[in-house]
Amino acid sequence: MPEIQSPLVTTAEERFNDTMNCSTPPGPLPCGTRGSVLQFAICLALGLVASAPAQPVKYDPGLLVTYRDASAHVADTDTVPNVRLHVAPGEAPTPFLPGGQFSATWEGAISADLRGTFFFQAELNGTFKLEINGAPVIETTGTGGASPLSNAVRLNKGTNAFKATFTSPARGDAFVRLGWTEKGTLTTPIPAAAFSHAPTPALRTASQLRLGRELFLELRCAKCHATPVTTASVPELTMDAPAFEGIGARRKFDWMARWILDPKALRPAAHMPKLLRGTNAQPDAEAMAAYLASLQTGGTVTLAATSYATRQSPAQDGDEPVPAAKPLYERLRCDACHNPPNATEPDPKKLSQKRVAEKFPPGKLAEFLRAPEAHYAWTRMPNFHLTAKEAKELEDWLFAAAPKPPAVAAPADAAIIARGQKLVQTSGCLNCHNLKLENQFRNPPSDILFSRHLKDRPKLPAGDCLGSTPAADYQLSAEQRAALNAFTETGPASLTRHVPAEFAGRQTRTLNCAACHGPIELVPPLEILGGKLKPEWAAKFLAGEIPHKMRYDDHPRGEPWVDARMPAFKSRATWLAAGMAAQHGVPPRTPPEPPVDRKLAELGRQLTGKDGGFSCVSCHAVGPQPAREVFDSEGINLADSAARLLPDYYRRWFRNPVAIDPQTKMPVYFDEGRSPLTEILEGDAERQMDALWHYLRFGAEMPAPGGPQ
């Protein structure tokens, strides 16, 4: 990020005295007597005084945003990539504010690669003010539409001071989306890379609370410190853990014993706490593992049919040989989250697969890979819709690369198993893990945990998880412990507020979505998806309910277009799709459109054809009709487009695809609002895009493309 000069910390008189060397006995000065602020001002105007050197401040990406409730008594600070938000009526823009009317202020800097003139526009429901370099640019109140285009704004090369303020409306959804343009009247979203901000003490405090809240959720603290769950609560309060039904058939005894004894010894990032200590810790862990190993039945896995369909292209005479396929482990990008079993320089941020042969009995890893969520709905491991053959290929490869531990039989002694059952019942395991067995663990009262800020607060019971001898040892760092302490002292109110955009930001980071979205060619960058996809379609796609990949697997030579495969995150899909939309200022459900105009749709059909059209059918399939002349990269099936894409994104893409994806093969058809096809709709680009959109809205019922009929 660019360096921005920090404000000077000295006074004007101090700078004057320093410049004039006034720490020594005064002598003749070019502007009169020592210490006069008036004389300093005159000298400054004449250029006789040099400013004291300022220390550069490193700016971080994004903007600083401060939310305030209607009373302005409650505030929260965060960072966001852009000036965009969407909040439903009565809801809160952040979990640390009560629901209702609010304001949001974005501050930082906006950068331009070169000095230039820009125009700004806001779409909004509410009141909005934009200032750049201290000058007002937009001041408007909107009820759902776009503000007039601003006057021309001169941006200096490098950073320019930026401030925007939004106040929510009295009625309806609160939303704002800020765009810009260098020429013309059609604005586009401002790239996130254009914004930067300086960290503040308020941000550091708020970031600590956010870390504490996230830890509270990820560590399942609410499972012991009971917190009421309603439909308005944050979804992670319902997160589960692997079910115990039939776990003895799915996991090996020796691995379970070592996991129970010290989870972080096997996986440093484990959320499972260390429950056992003292001289009996190891025999207790082995007894608990013996009991779990005895649970050999129940928890059957129902495998769904593979969702991703593929097409086959018959080989033609003269075709080049098809390159050998990459290993499945590589094609699925497993290494984005995992260190393979044979890694020589493992990445400490990734989960190691070195112990897969210690953990899974033969055949059970393949079963897990085909349905990771079968016994653990909130697992981070997604469902890749593997075939039985693919799952076995992965299991065989992982087992061959992993160390081979000696087989350790589970104790069959009834007394040991009975003792293990009692320990499972009394140690808190059943607070998180499901099993048809009485839970005899006594939960500590949650009001004690969340009343520690009170002057006459109750004393925490012995063995508090944040104390020196925790009941459940999560082996927290000093930073994590401080964050949890800070969060619990604020009370549980933020847990009762689900904020979709905040959920999406937390989960896309937790699920490591950016490991594939962006680095992999033809996989769209994560930061555009919320403003690209209709939330209803995105929810189905994330849940694995769309019956095919967006780019089919066949290429004219037979190799796949895209090696990567989008997996399913069923437990999070609906919330994630709505949250990604909210991050872009988009509602969780796409507003309805008027009925398809059949006359316009017919013109759109002509525009897709080769005879007098844009020849879209050369690279794009239309329903069952394959693309006709693919030379390099096949496009998306046009029958899927209207169901997937937000209308605004469709138009921005069509106007200038390269501006969204510099690597796209899609050509630019329009020049400043004019089309080369002047015979249709008088060559008006916007009207032609409308005609194409009406045609695309037929979806699977699209008439065959072509010229006039």
Side-chain angles (χ1 to χ4, degrees), residues 348-639:
K349 296 180 181 179
K350 297 180 181 180
L351 297 180
S352 174
Q353 293 176 315
K354 186 176 182 179
R355 301 182 183 276
V356 290
E358 302 174 21
K359 180 177 181 179
F360 293 95
K364 292 301 179 179
L365 175 57
E367 182 183 90
F368 168 76
L369 292 172
R370 294 195 68 191
E373 74 287 351
H375 306 289
Y376 181 12
W378 278 83
T379 179
R380 294 185 186 182
M381 176 65 191
N383 190 327
F384 281 93
H385 303 283
L386 301 174
T387 63
K389 179 181 178 182
E390 289 174 328
K392 186 177 187 308
E393 177 184 335
L394 279 174
E395 180 182 286
D396 290 347
W397 187 89
L398 288 165
F399 278 4
K404 312 301 183 294
V408 178
D413 186 287
I416 293 176
I417 292 174
R419 187 163 66 89
Q421 175 181 325
K422 188 67 175 178
L423 286 166
V424 167
Q425 289 180 280
T426 57
S427 299
C429 307
L430 301 182
N431 285 354
C432 294
H433 298 273
N434 291 328
L435 183 64
K436 295 177 182 177
L437 184 69
E438 180 189 1
N439 185 1
Q440 298 176 357
F441 178 76
R442 183 181 177 185
N443 290 329
S446 60
D447 59 336
I448 292 180
L449 181 69
F450 288 115
S451 61
R452 299 158 68 204
H453 61 291
L454 299 177
K455 184 177 180 180
D456 56 345
R457 62 189 182 188
K459 291 184 178 180
L460 288 165
D464 165 44
C465 293
L466 296 177
S468 57
T469 55
D473 187 1
Y474 289 93
Q475 301 177 57
L476 302 172
S477 67
E479 179 190 14
Q480 291 173 324
R481 194 179 300 276
L484 266 172
N485 265 313
F487 168 68
T488 54
E489 290 189 356
T490 66
S494 70
L495 299 173
T496 67
R497 301 173 190 138
H498 168 53
V499 177
E502 188 260 350
F503 174 89
R506 188 171 61 252
Q507 287 296 323
T508 51
R509 174 174 45 79
T510 299
L511 298 173
N512 200 23
C513 300
C516 292
H517 285 277
I520 302 179
E521 186 179 5
L522 301 178
V523 175
L526 181 66
E527 60 267 20
I528 74 168
L529 295 180
K532 172 182 179 178
L533 302 175
K534 289 181 176 177
E536 307 92 325
W537 184 92
K540 292 181 179 179
F541 192 52
L542 287 165
E545 297 172 5
I546 301 298
H548 53 78
K549 291 175 70 173
M550 288 304 98
R551 285 180 179 268
Y552 286 112
D553 282 339
D554 69 325
H555 180 281
R557 295 191 302 158
E559 70 266 32
W561 284 113
V562 185
D563 284 328
R565 181 187 301 180
M566 175 67 193
F569 300 91
K570 192 173 183 65
S571 64
R572 301 162 171 85
T574 301
W575 291 305
L576 199 52
M580 292 170 68
Q583 288 178 321
H584 286 256
V586 175
R589 294 199 64 80
T590 308
E593 296 187 79
V596 172
D597 184 318
R598 292 185 174 272
K599 290 183 179 179
L600 278 178
E602 170 56 25
L603 295 175
R605 188 188 69 81
Q606 296 176 32
L607 287 166
T608 61
K610 297 184 63 176
D611 183 11
F614 290 118
S615 195
C616 306
V617 293
S618 293
C619 297
H620 291 273
V622 180
Q625 177 180 299
R628 297 176 182 177
E629 297 171 351
V630 178
F631 299 104
D632 186 15
S633 178
E634 183 178 16
I636 301 298
N637 191 312
L638 295 182

Side-chain angles (χ1 to χ4, degrees), residues 81-82 180 188-195:
N82 218 316
W180 70 355
T188 60
I190 302 172
F195 291 117

